[in-house]
Amino acid sequence: KFSYVFQGELVTDKDSVKRNYRKKLREDIITVLPLEVMCFFFITDEAKLPLAVSALRIPKLLRLSRLLELSGDVFKALEDTHIFIAPLKLLQLLSGVILIAHWACCGFYAFARFQNDHEQCYDLDTGDTIISWGNEISECMWDDTWVRRQIQNGKLPINGGEPWQLYIRAFHWALPTLVVVVIGDVVPITSNETLYAFLWMVVGVTINATIIGNVANLVANLETESSEFVKKADAINHFMYLHKVPQDLQDRVEHFMTYLWTAHGGTNNEEEFLEDLPSTLQMEITDHTRLKHIKDCPFFDFCSYEIIKALSMRLKPMVFSLGDVMVHDGEMGQEMFFLCKGEVQVISKDGKTVFATLSKGSFFGETSLFFKQKRTSTVSAISVCELFQLQKVDLDNELRQRDVDLNRMLVVITNIAETNKARNTAVSANLDTKNTRNKKLHKLIGPSSLGGTHGKRIKKIFLPDSSFRATWDILCMLFTVYFTFSIPYRASFILDDAVTDTMKYLVIDFIIDVFFMIDVYFRYKCFPVIKNGSVVIDTQEIRQLYQRGRMAIDVISCIPLELLAFVWGQEYTFILRLIHLARVFQLPTYFAMTDHYLNLWNIRISAATSLLFRMFFYYVIVNHWCGCAWFAIHRYMERNIMYTWATVDCPGNFELAGHGCLAVWDGDLGYHNICDGGNMRRCYIRSVYFVITTISTVGYGDIAPVTEIETIWENVVVLIGACIFAGIIGAFTAYLSQIDTSGSTAFRTKLQKLQEYMKYRNLPDDLQTQILAYHQERWNRSQIIDERAVMNILPIPLQMDLSYAVLKRVIFKIPILKSCTAIVRERIAHALNLQVCPSSSTIYNVGDIGWDIYFIGSGLIEVILTTDTSVLDSVGKSNAY
């Protein structure tokens, strides 16, 4: 009944399905056979029956292979829905580690269970009388096993405990062993147990490496395309920082890169993706994404389907950022554009009159495909735009190969051109009339309506990059970090009798709470956001975006649950304030905002360095939180238990649970005093010390869990520690990778290889000096190994704007370039290549055939006229004389 996929095709034929399933039929039959039933017929010893039943059910584990296939199908389905699945993959990995630890735990328990004959022990005394290290039955059942050591150390009751208690202790051995965390709390005793531990240590090295590899890949974003995008974005930001590019241009670049990452995963090379596919799939994708643009264009209405399909194959995808100019008034165009996302404006040459605003499904620039004439208007993007470009040469080639009635096409084109011209003329006339007093249009509209916006306007102080907005966002980050540390600490370490004294410090917290409530209002009503590279200032859209985004977390974190303390009692104040920790989920957003503002203030931090700082910050937070939770277990869940990790933490060989220990047991009252002497500083340090030694895989073992709940929590800390440890490795990997592939180390490596080559070729010393000086100057100028390759990720208009911003000073020093139009200056700036000429070097010699023109940006050039005119042509000779 179930179809399957073979070589990319869905197979539904029943005979094929049957043949495919026969490969797995034998395995499925083995897993469904009730082999354990045979035990009830052939085994008469009831004591051996449970073991036999369990052993015969082991073949059912073969079904686990199907679980892996199912999880693969689930993740594939989630990827199709564009859900971020990296955390789910991490959860899958940790689930696998826990499952393997469960198997190791069961085996470790089995060694102790079958070390002695338990049948001889069932009739022995189960009371509390200690014989030597346990009662009579436990000494019979668990002698010479790891369980005996646990009973002797007080980790298990004198009777050996219940099966679930034994399982927890065995699991506490298995999981740390697999993730290579040294704890030493549960250790093998016999030779068989030790050999078994050796085998799982080998497996543990592999599992630990798997955890490190996967988590490091998640943290460092080491996939090829993602990593390359991050490096390019960081290199571009550093380039703009070095050259002090104007802030508005930096914002355009940043918004475009953000859009490219969120919408396209950091790549805009769609053509390269299509080239890897067979032609049939390429045509199907083209039919789905591009064909409609040609079909909806009126002057292709009478073309055959073959022509329309051929033209759609010729379309080239392009992405433009906010403010990019795709079409310039007065230039000779060689292409037309089809708009598939975003909006553009058709404006006059002087930029003052907007003739039309075009959106998805529109086209422009069509006149240049059929008439050899200059463009009559400028087209500029007012948001990030995705377009398809059709070049004149491609259109000519396709029409030349097919029988097309060009006259009909030209008639349609002419009509469209005349309509657009009439529209532009009417718009210009209406604008002139609007500005003329005593005209009806002037009275109806008024001069202030030009460029005006409807609805409530956003104040300038709320705009992104304003001083108020930057200060507000940074305060949000600082206050959230403050809550991250203060709230868990107070909930765990402030004793009930000290709550009243601490209330005065809560005034600061309550002021911050009010601040965050105001923040919710601002982000709901006032704060513009960036969407698709454009600033959203419409209040209704701002509300909608905030509601779909982070509003739920912000509102939950502002709920004043601590007011219930007036009903339940002041001792619940700090516990009820834990709800404010929900805002911690906004920390990554706040960190990104802070990075942006630091760049805005010319404080440059590379992406790899920023990642490294964030990982260490998260490492500190995790240690702090886990330490607070470790002490909270002792305080709230084990108050009436004599032996906990704190009451047995007794440096100096003091009596357990007595004076000198971290906490002291009061036998008369029946509970411990939480922290002896109220020395919370000492208790906090010991709690965090335990967590750090566990997470860092050191595990000295001087602080260890005593109760079952403590053991479970330590296993949780072990898993968290494995992930955090791997995350830090990933952050260091990203940092070192950035240095080795695109940083100063990469540049030194390049120079080293260059020097080896020059030495091999025996180049003259002065030539070597010139070559090294050239590369050094290029590096000092941009600190990018391959500037062109990095900048190619940006659209051409944005590249031109960046080049012009960097070389504007040089351009304006040259009179012939200064007199050119703005677009010509930008194109020349983009075409210029830096040449570094050391002192006394020759730029070119007399008689050389020149293909270049040189503009002096800095330094002095000496022009030497030749006296030998024999090497010159007629023009050169006339100039020489």
Side-chain angles (χ1 to χ4, degrees):
K1 296 292 185 180
F2 290 162
S3 59
Y4 66 97
V5 177
F6 179 71
Q7 294 183 352
E9 296 183 2
L10 183 66
V11 179
T12 58
D13 180 68
K14 291 185 178 181
D15 294 333
S16 300
V17 171
K18 290 179 181 178
R19 286 194 300 270
N20 179 71
Y21 182 65
R22 289 195 188 104
K23 303 174 185 177
K24 302 178 180 179
L25 180 61
R26 183 181 303 175
E27 176 183 312
D28 284 355
I29 291 176
I30 293 175
T31 58
V32 299
L33 285 177
L35 301 177
E36 61 274 17
V37 176
M38 296 185 298
C39 297
F40 297 97
F41 297 99
F42 299 102
I43 297 180
T44 57
D45 190 349
E46 293 185 0
K48 297 180 179 179
L49 185 62
L51 176 63
V53 170
S54 300
L56 289 177
R57 289 184 63 82
I58 290 179
K60 297 185 183 297
L61 293 177
L62 294 173
R63 282 276 180 178
L64 281 175
S65 60
R66 300 295 178 83
L67 180 62
L68 296 176
E69 294 178 5
L70 178 61
S71 63
D73 294 338
V74 171
F75 282 120
K76 185 177 179 181
L78 292 175
E79 287 176 351
D80 294 338
T81 60
H82 305 288
I83 295 177
F84 184 59
I85 63 172
L88 297 179
K89 287 186 176 180
L90 178 60
L91 180 61
Q92 179 193 34
L93 174 65
L94 295 180
S95 300
V97 172
I98 293 174
L99 178 62
I100 296 174
H102 167 72
W103 292 343
C105 155
C106 293
F108 194 60
Y109 171 76
F111 274 97
R113 169 65 178 79
F114 299 107
Q115 172 72 19
N116 302 309
D117 188 2
H118 286 197
E119 293 184 18
Q120 302 176 4
C121 307
Y122 291 140
D123 296 332
L124 299 179
D125 181 29
T126 59
D128 296 334
T129 303
I130 298 178
I131 307 301
S132 58
W133 49 266
N135 62 11
E136 190 174 7
I137 189 172
S138 64
E139 291 192 4
C140 175
M141 297 175 65
W142 307 113
D143 191 29
D144 292 331
T145 67
W146 62 268
V147 178
R148 171 181 173 175
R149 179 70 61 85
Q150 296 299 299
I151 297 174
Q152 289 175 324
N153 292 339
K155 302 300 175 66
L156 288 172
I158 60 173
N159 63 354
E162 299 295 329
W164 66 270
Q165 294 175 302
L166 291 166
Y167 174 82
I168 289 176
R169 300 307 299 174
F171 191 87
H172 186 52
W173 165 84
L175 185 61
T177 301
L178 289 179
V179 297
V180 197
V181 175
V182 181
I183 293 180
D185 190 25
V186 182
V187 293
I189 300 298
T190 66
S191 298
N192 291 333
E193 292 173 357
T194 304
L195 180 61
Y196 182 76
F198 284 161
L199 295 176
W200 280 107
M201 287 178 190
V202 175
V203 176
V205 172
T206 304
I207 291 177
N208 194 45
T210 303
I211 295 175
I212 291 176
N214 282 270
V215 176
N217 183 57
L218 174 64
V219 171
N221 206 13
L222 295 180
E223 294 88 354
T224 303
E225 291 185 358
S226 300
S227 177
E228 287 300 317
F229 174 80
V230 172
K231 290 177 183 176
K232 287 183 178 181
D234 193 55
I236 292 173
N237 289 332
H238 190 60
F239 175 84
M240 295 189 295
Y241 168 76
L242 284 179
H243 294 285
K244 295 180 173 55
V245 173
Q247 188 57 46
D248 58 341
L249 185 54
Q250 291 190 41
D251 290 341
R252 283 178 56 196
V253 173
E254 182 180 352
H255 295 165
F256 175 79
M257 299 297 286
T258 302
Y259 173 81
L260 199 61
W261 175 254
T262 55
H264 295 275
T267 178
N268 59 352
N269 196 347
E270 186 176 330
E271 293 298 300
E272 183 178 348
F273 161 72
L274 291 177
E275 288 174 359
D276 295 336
L277 300 175
S279 57
T280 53
L281 290 180
Q282 289 185 33
M283 287 188 290
E284 288 187 21
I285 293 176
T286 300
D287 291 347
H288 179 71
T289 59
R290 309 181 186 183
L291 185 65
K292 57 184 178 182
H293 296 289
I294 300 295
K295 291 178 64 176
D296 294 342
C297 198
F299 46 84
F300 293 127
D301 284 347
F302 50 86
C303 294
S304 64
Y305 180 76
E306 289 74 15
I307 295 177
I308 293 176
K309 192 166 185 176
L311 289 176
S312 65
M313 292 288 291
R314 296 283 190 172
L315 294 179
K316 297 179 180 178
M318 305 183 74
V319 183
F320 291 95
S321 69
L322 171 67
D324 284 352
V325 178
M326 289 82 80
V327 172
H328 290 270
D329 183 281
E331 70 176 1
M332 297 297 298
Q334 296 291 323
E335 61 280 314
M336 73 171 294
F337 300 90
F338 300 90
L339 187 59
C340 59
K341 192 172 184 179
E343 290 185 336
V344 300
Q345 283 185 340
V346 182
I347 57 180
S348 61
K349 184 176 182 179
D350 58 9
K352 296 180 179 180
T353 305
V354 178
F355 296 130
T357 299
L358 307 179
S359 56
K360 179 180 179 181
S362 304
F363 57 87
F364 56 92
E366 66 282 354
T367 307
S368 298
L369 293 185
F370 299 95
F371 303 108
K372 190 176 182 180
Q373 62 183 37
K374 296 182 178 180
R375 300 192 187 273
T376 58
S377 57
T378 297
V379 180
S380 175
I382 58 176
S383 68
V384 176
C385 296
E386 296 187 22
L387 307 95
F388 288 109
Q389 180 192 74
L390 177 62
Q391 296 184 347
K392 179 177 177 60
V393 62
D394 293 330
L395 176 65
D396 292 343
N397 289 338
E398 293 298 335
L399 297 183
R400 192 180 299 114
Q401 298 174 21
R402 294 171 173 84
D403 185 17
V404 180
D405 189 351
L406 290 178
N407 291 328
R408 292 182 61 187
M409 186 177 292
L410 291 175
V411 169
V412 177
I413 288 292
T414 302
N415 292 335
I416 293 176
E418 291 178 352
T419 302
N420 290 339
K421 183 178 180 180
R423 176 203 63 198
N424 296 348
T425 302
V427 170
S428 299
N430 287 335
L431 291 175
D432 292 339
T433 303
K434 179 188 71 65
N435 294 323
T436 303
R437 292 183 177 276
N438 300 324
K439 294 291 186 179
K440 184 176 181 180
L441 193 61
H442 174 80
K443 297 178 181 179
L444 291 174
I445 300 178
S448 62
S449 64
L450 184 60
T453 58
H454 298 283
K456 186 177 180 180
R457 300 187 62 176
I458 296 295
K459 294 182 179 180
K460 289 184 178 180
I461 62 171
F462 295 144
L463 292 175
D465 298 344
S466 66
S467 299
F468 174 81
R469 183 73 176 271
T471 304
W472 187 272
D473 289 338
I474 291 177
L475 285 176
C476 285
M477 182 206 56
L478 294 176
F479 290 156
T480 303
V481 170
Y482 168 74
F483 274 178
T484 300
F485 287 97
S486 65
I487 291 179
Y489 176 83
R490 288 171 177 167
S492 299
F493 291 94
I494 300 299
L495 300 178
D496 294 343
D497 54 1
V499 171
T500 303
D501 296 335
T502 313
M503 282 294 180
K504 57 186 177 181
Y505 300 107
L506 283 180
V507 174
I508 299 176
D509 292 36
F510 293 149
I511 293 174
I512 296 175
D513 291 341
V514 174
F515 173 88
F516 281 131
M517 292 178 185
I518 298 173
D519 177 69
V520 172
Y521 173 80
F522 279 167
R523 299 190 187 280
Y524 184 76
K525 299 278 291 185
C526 306
F527 282 174
V529 293
I530 307 297
K531 178 185 177 184
N532 294 338
S534 302
V535 179
V536 178
I537 60 175
D538 180 70
T539 53
Q540 183 176 357
E541 188 172 1
I542 290 173
R543 288 195 295 269
Q544 292 174 351
L545 292 174
Y546 186 50
Q547 289 171 353
R548 293 198 296 264
R550 49 185 282 187
M551 182 177 177
I553 293 177
D554 288 351
V555 171
I556 291 173
S557 65
C558 290
I559 298 175
L561 282 185
E562 57 269 27
L563 296 179
L564 294 175
F566 290 104
V567 179
W568 297 348
Q570 287 187 348
E571 63 272 17
Y572 292 98
T573 301
F574 297 121
I575 296 177
L576 292 172
R577 283 192 59 79
L578 288 173
I579 193 172
H580 297 292
L581 285 179
R583 189 169 287 272
V584 170
F585 292 105
Q586 304 293 8
L587 270 179
T589 303
Y590 293 146
F591 287 152
M593 291 178 180
T594 304
D595 279 343
H596 170 75
Y597 293 127
L598 291 177
N599 287 330
L600 184 66
W601 300 329
N602 289 325
I603 303 175
R604 172 79 182 123
I605 299 178
S606 69
T609 304
S610 177
L611 173 63
L612 195 59
F613 283 151
R614 290 198 303 270
M615 280 307 305
F616 272 109
F617 177 78
Y618 294 144
Y619 173 75
V620 173
I621 285 181
V622 168
N623 279 283
H624 175 72
W625 282 11
C626 290
C628 292
W630 179 243
F631 190 79
I633 291 173
H634 157 75
R635 174 181 177 179
Y636 293 110
M637 305 179 69
E638 301 173 334
R639 186 68 189 275
N640 57 350
I641 297 177
M642 181 175 182
Y643 294 113
T644 71
W645 71 267
T647 59
V648 301
D649 182 16
C650 308
N653 297 322
F654 289 101
E655 180 184 356
L656 297 183
H659 290 288
C661 298
L662 198 64
V664 177
W665 175 259
D666 190 326
D668 297 332
L669 298 177
Y671 54 78
H672 55 70
N673 63 355
I674 302 178
C675 185
D676 191 32
N679 189 354
M680 284 301 170
R681 179 175 176 271
R682 179 192 176 199
C683 290
Y684 176 76
I685 291 175
R686 295 297 289 176
S687 299
V688 175
Y689 164 77
F690 159 77
V691 174
I692 290 179
T693 55
T694 302
I695 287 181
S696 62
T697 72
V698 175
Y700 291 123
D702 53 337
I703 299 180
V706 177
T707 64
E708 286 76 18
I709 186 63
E710 292 174 1
T711 305
I712 293 173
W713 177 245
E714 182 172 31
N715 285 317
V716 173
V717 173
V718 166
L719 282 178
I720 295 174
C723 296
I724 290 291
F725 184 70
I728 294 177
I729 292 177
F732 267 109
T733 302
Y735 178 75
L736 297 176
S737 175
Q738 187 268 336
I739 294 177
D740 292 340
T741 59
S742 58
S744 57
T745 302
F747 176 68
R748 288 194 295 269
T749 303
K750 179 180 179 180
L751 288 187
Q752 183 180 2
K753 293 180 179 179
L754 185 60
Q755 288 174 325
E756 292 174 355
Y757 168 78
M758 293 188 295
K759 181 179 180 181
Y760 172 74
R761 291 299 183 185
N762 293 321
L763 297 182
D765 292 341
D766 58 341
L767 181 57
Q768 292 189 32
T769 302
Q770 294 180 35
I771 294 173
L772 293 175
Y774 166 76
H775 285 287
Q776 186 65 54
E777 182 62 26
R778 287 194 65 94
W779 173 256
N780 293 338
R781 176 177 175 271
S782 65
Q783 296 193 5
I784 300 177
I785 298 295
D786 189 349
E787 187 174 319
R788 290 291 180 185
V790 169
M791 293 298 178
N792 278 342
I793 198 172
L794 301 176
I796 294 297
L798 199 51
Q799 293 183 41
M800 292 167 53
D801 290 340
L802 276 176
S803 300
Y804 183 66
V806 172
L807 299 173
K808 183 178 180 180
R809 181 178 58 85
V810 176
I811 295 290
F812 272 84
K813 283 184 177 180
I814 304 168
I816 190 174
L817 298 184
K818 184 178 179 181
S819 61
C820 296
T821 61
I823 181 60
V824 172
R825 291 197 299 266
E826 288 190 4
R827 287 174 176 168
I828 290 177
H830 187 57
L832 289 177
N833 286 318
L834 175 68
Q835 298 292 324
V836 180
C837 304
S839 178
S840 303
S841 62
T842 301
I843 298 176
Y844 60 79
N845 290 306
V846 63
D848 291 347
I849 299 176
W851 298 98
D852 305 303
I853 181 172
Y854 295 88
F855 301 98
I856 304 172
S858 62
L860 297 175
I861 300 295
E862 182 182 12
V863 180
I864 303 174
L865 298 178
T866 181
T867 57
D868 182 10
T869 60
S870 61
V871 296
L872 302 179
D873 57 14
S874 58
V875 177
K877 290 178 181 179
S878 63
N879 290 335
Y881 290 113

